[in-house]
């Protein structure tokens, strides 16, 4: 079996042999003069090559995202999308390019339901305009578009352009990889590579010319956007649900139900339920945990409309953490909407948890910083945690952090160490006020434990924390 990289190498050489990649002087659609040109239309004459290209495209799809259909950007990618559709038994949609002149014809051919997520297939991207136009057409018919795959990314800014418009791009190879393969096999020389690199250096800033009223919102950044507006920027169903319920219920409070028995935790959940968007548990401190607890807790979550987060802070290798998540007496995966994890072991932990979620609406929060004094997370570690989440947005829902670690509206920032009465505890916990956590440090959700659980009336205390934290959020978004 050839590895993915070996197959890419093989396909690149075959493309070169049939002039699917050419070197010389070419004028691109944008008007730019390029020393390299891709013409993947030729692959229709080479069915085996066409199939290999389609296979590689499909293999680069994002893990964990369920697509209801595929749509090739007309025309070059149409046959590739067709191969993927037939091989994967996945419905295909066709976007009509000539719709405007015909008027009455459908924009999108094929059957679909509103909200279906359609995966866009494309051969080459420069600025991303063609993918964008296809996404706009699909979205205008009520479809969702979150991802696209391309064979070659010319590395001229398309990925960033499309990310701003809510489409994540993955590519089979980029220009550098392609040049390296061709150079290694003596198909091109250093001079040609130099010419392409010089060209790339001067043509980084491509832009997408947007149509007026295209219905695609460019995000203003997490801190300035409303929870409702942010819900539209993500395809993570759980994040969408949470953001919407926070806006509906007007609360961004999570109560940490750190109590020693399940009875006490359930009683608390019922009392604070009307004031919270999330209840956070540590089930391994309960002396009487039994199967009944998650069932009863989920009933309360339904009654009061909040999500459940088990603060398990997974930190082992992927396979072990996945077993802790799904097997064993707590069977966390069966009942917790969200779990926390340390990014320390690497992305294998995230993908392992995601694999065990098996299609259920689940997600992870990455511990990017901690509230305790002397926490070892450095700025570099925190940045790496954010990068990890960005690479897995279908399962990573956000971060537990003490500062605004991201401006990406798709991710949530939850901040523990919040109290209106205490400054610290005896074991390193450090507190700030809800106003500081939300307004200055950029928290979306404040997590409060003892500030609520030890109050004379937990319900009243939760109401007060929720009121203050939500007011700070409203002030933040202006
Ligand atoms: P407190 O009683 O408000 O101090 O409880 C804080 C909760 O948040 C508790 O459940 C902790 O496990 C959790 N926590 C935290 O305090 N600090 C952190 O950095 C992280 C979690 Br991550």
């Amino acid at each position: 079996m050839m590895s993915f990289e070996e197959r890419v190498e093989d396909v690149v050489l075959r493309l070169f042999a049939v002039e699917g990649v050419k070197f010389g002087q070419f004028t691109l659609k944008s008007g730019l003069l390029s020393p390299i040109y891709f013409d993947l239309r030729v692959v229709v004459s080479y069915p085996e090559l066409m199939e290999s290209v389609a296979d590689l495209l499909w293999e680069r799809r994002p893990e964990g995202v369920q697509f209801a259909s595929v749509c090739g950007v007309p025309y070059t990618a149409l046959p590739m999308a067709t191969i993927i559709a037939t091989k994967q038994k996945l419905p295909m949609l066709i976007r009509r390019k000539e719709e405007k002149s015909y008027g009455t014809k459908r924009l999108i051919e094929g059957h679909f339901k509103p909200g279906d997520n359609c995966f866009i297939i494309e051969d080459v991207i420069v600025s991303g305009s063609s993918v964008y136009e296809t996404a706009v057409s699909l979205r205008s018919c009520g479809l969702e578009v979150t991802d696209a795959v391309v064979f070659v990314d010319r590395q001229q800014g398309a990925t960033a352009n499309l990310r701003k418009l809510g489409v994540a791009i993955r590519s089979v190879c980029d220009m550098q990889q392609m040049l390296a393969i061709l150079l290694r096999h003596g198909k091109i020389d250093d001079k040609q590579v130099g010419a392409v690199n010089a060209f790339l250096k001067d043509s980084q800033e491509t832009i997408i010319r947007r149509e007026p009223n295209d219905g695609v919102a460019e995000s203003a950044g997490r801190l300035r956007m409303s929870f409702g507006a942010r819900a539209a920027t993500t395809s993570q169903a759980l994040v969408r649900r949470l953001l919407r319920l926070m806006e509906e219920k007007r609360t961004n409070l999570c109560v940490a139900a750190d109590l020693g028995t399940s009875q006490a935790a359930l009683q608390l959940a019922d009392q604070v339920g009307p004031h919270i968007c999330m209840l956070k548990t540590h089930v391994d401190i309960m002396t009487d945990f039994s199967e009944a607890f998650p069932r009863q807790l989920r009933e309360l979550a339904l009654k009061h409309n909040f999500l459940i987060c088990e603060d398990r802070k997974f930190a082992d290798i992927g396979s072990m953490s996945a077993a802790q998540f799904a097997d064993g007496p707590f069977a966390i995966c069966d009942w917790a909407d969200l779990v926390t994890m340390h990014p320390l072991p690497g992305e294998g932990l995230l993908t392992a948890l995601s694999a065990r979620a098996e299609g259920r609406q689940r997600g992870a929060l990455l511990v990017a910083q901690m509230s305790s004094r002397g926490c070892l997370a450095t700025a570099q570690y925190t940045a790496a945690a954010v990068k990890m989440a960005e690479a897995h947005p279908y399962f990573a829902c956000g971060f537990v952090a003490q500062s605004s670690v991201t401006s990406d509206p798709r991710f949530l920032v939850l901040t523990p160490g919040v109290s209106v009465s205490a400054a610290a505890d005896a074991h390193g916990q450090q507190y700030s006020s809800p106003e500081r956590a939300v307004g200055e440090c950029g928290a979306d959700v404040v997590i409060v434990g003892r500030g609520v659980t030890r109050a004379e009336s937990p319900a009243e205390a939760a109401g007060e924390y929720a009121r203050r934290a939500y007011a700070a959020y409203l002030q933040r978004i202006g």
Side-chain angles (χ1 to χ4, degrees), residues 256 258 280 282 311 313 367 369-372 400 402 416-418 429 431 447-451:
D258 299 334
K280 191 172 79 60
H282 279 294
D311 192 4
K313 297 193 186 70
V367 178
Q369 293 164 332
M370 291 194 71
S371 57
S372 39
V400 184
Q402 297 295 309
V418 173
Q429 174 71 305
Y431 291 111
I447 301 174
V448 182
R450 286 163 285 183

Side-chain angles (χ1 to χ4, degrees), residues 167-344:
V167 182
I169 288 282
R170 293 163 68 91
S171 60
V172 172
C173 65
D174 61 30
M175 197 88 117
Q176 294 306 325
Q177 289 167 314
M178 185 158 274
L179 292 175
I181 292 168
L182 295 173
L183 186 65
R184 197 159 59 238
H185 288 267
K187 306 293 181 195
I188 53 173
D189 56 28
D190 287 326
K191 223 172 111 202
Q192 284 165 304
V193 173
V196 176
N197 281 332
F199 163 77
L200 281 182
K201 222 172 116 220
D202 291 338
S203 54
Q204 280 302 298
E205 302 287 306
T206 57
I207 52 160
I208 293 182
R209 263 189 212 91
R210 296 180 58 178
E211 293 166 23
N213 306 321
D214 60 12
V216 181
E218 195 156 341
S219 51
R222 186 181 66 85
L223 293 172
R224 307 288 299 169
M225 289 174 77
S226 70
F227 295 143
R230 286 168 55 189
T233 66
T234 175
S235 56
Q236 219 295 350
L238 212 50
V239 176
R240 267 209 309 251
R241 206 172 115 204
L242 181 61
L243 286 166
R244 290 196 177 126
L245 94 79
M246 284 158 70
E247 198 166 77
E248 269 165 41
K249 254 179 111 173
R250 297 180 67 81
T251 173
N252 51 344
L253 172 68
C254 166
V255 164
D258 299 334
L259 299 167
T261 67
S262 55
Q263 272 322 305
L266 290 169
Q267 195 187 3
L268 177 75
D270 205 14
Q271 288 168 340
V272 303
H275 307 291
I276 60 173
C277 61
M278 186 186 297
L279 190 86
K280 191 172 79 60
T281 52
H282 279 294
V283 286
D284 54 4
I285 64 168
M286 289 176 181
T287 51
D288 60 344
F289 180 89
S290 74
E291 272 171 40
F293 172 72
R295 187 170 34 78
Q296 290 167 331
L297 185 60
R298 283 198 78 89
E299 281 165 15
L300 290 172
L302 205 62
K303 173 176 162 192
H304 296 296
N305 194 19
F306 60 76
L307 296 192
I308 303 168
C309 173
E310 165 59 18
D311 192 4
R312 178 61 184 77
K313 297 193 186 70
F314 295 105
D316 209 332
I317 54 169
S319 63
M320 210 43 240
S321 295
Q324 291 168 323
F325 179 44
D327 308 328
F330 298 129
I332 297 165
C333 177
D334 287 345
W335 54 270
D337 301 299
L338 287 153
V339 289
T340 54
M341 58 164 271
H342 285 291
L344 179 74

Side-chain angles (χ1 to χ4, degrees), residues 58 67-70 81-82 84-92 119:
W58 177 245
F67 296 109
S69 53
V70 289
T82 312
I84 292 172
T86 49
K87 277 189 145 177
Q88 306 306 325
K89 305 280 177 279
L90 193 61
M92 169 166 143
F119 187 34

Side-chain angles (χ1 to χ4, degrees), residues 432-453:
S432 58
S433 67
E435 287 78 11
R436 188 170 136 68
V438 175
E440 291 171 42
C441 305
D444 294 317
V445 175
V446 295
I447 301 174
V448 182
R450 286 163 285 183
V452 167
T453 56

Side-chain angles (χ1 to χ4, degrees), residues 1 35 55 84 95 113 126 226 240 246 262 282 356 427 477:
M1 255 302 260
D55 289 346
I84 292 172
R95 174 189 162 224
K113 290 196 304 295
V126 184
S226 70
R240 267 209 309 251
M246 284 158 70
S262 55
H282 279 294
R356 291 303 295 267
H427 302 287
I477 63 167

